Amino acid sequence: MARRRINHTDGAAAIAAVKLSGLESADDTMLAMACRYLLEELAERAPGNSVEVRVPPYGATQCIQGPRHTRGTPPNTVEMNPDTWFALATGELSWQQALAEAKAQASGTRADLSEVLPLIS
């Protein structure tokens, strides 16, 4: 299990602050903390190393059980901007909608996060 860097209280407060202000006017510090906390939550709920989820510039995590990746670019990657990640993780956007609208890019046979999202509803 990955070590948590953001405690639950601080992470929940950051999520609440972003929801309260709205993504368009969210404080960058709060959005960064919320995104990082949600990436940690994903890694905890779907442990593994077969998929790398990237949310530049705020962070990345590995999750989903399967073959372990150790060098170079992983064969199963998901990448999106922070607003999309926050919306997916909190249930404001569905996985299918994010892909259909090209808000998230997913490659590889295991890069489907529909079974693990949303993290918070």
Side-chain angles (χ1 to χ4, degrees):
M1 185 180 304
R3 184 177 69 85
R4 301 278 316 217
R5 293 192 171 124
I6 300 170
N7 70 49
H8 178 71
T9 303
D10 292 342
I15 291 167
V18 172
K19 281 186 171 187
L20 183 64
S21 66
L23 277 171
E24 297 79 28
S25 56
D27 176 73
D28 284 340
T29 303
M30 284 293 114
L31 181 58
M33 182 182 293
C35 286
R36 289 179 183 128
Y37 174 77
L38 290 165
L39 285 168
E40 290 177 0
E41 190 69 18
L42 174 64
E44 188 170 291
R45 291 190 189 187
N49 297 94
S50 68
V51 179
E52 185 167 293
V53 178
R54 301 171 181 166
V55 183
Y58 297 143
T61 195
Q62 290 187 352
C63 59
I64 314 287
Q65 290 190 349
R68 182 175 176 83
H69 166 76
T70 57
R71 295 170 57 141
T73 300
N76 301 290
T77 60
V78 176
E79 187 165 337
M80 67 204 81
N81 68 36
D83 291 356
T84 299
W85 171 240
F86 186 86
L88 278 168
T90 58
E92 296 171 19
L93 178 68
S94 74
W95 177 250
Q96 292 75 18
Q97 185 180 3
L99 292 177
E101 296 175 4
K103 292 182 175 184
Q105 294 75 44
S107 64
T109 58
R110 296 179 181 272
D112 180 354
L113 300 180
S114 62
E115 295 294 319
V116 295
L117 294 175
L119 299 170
I120 297 169
S121 51

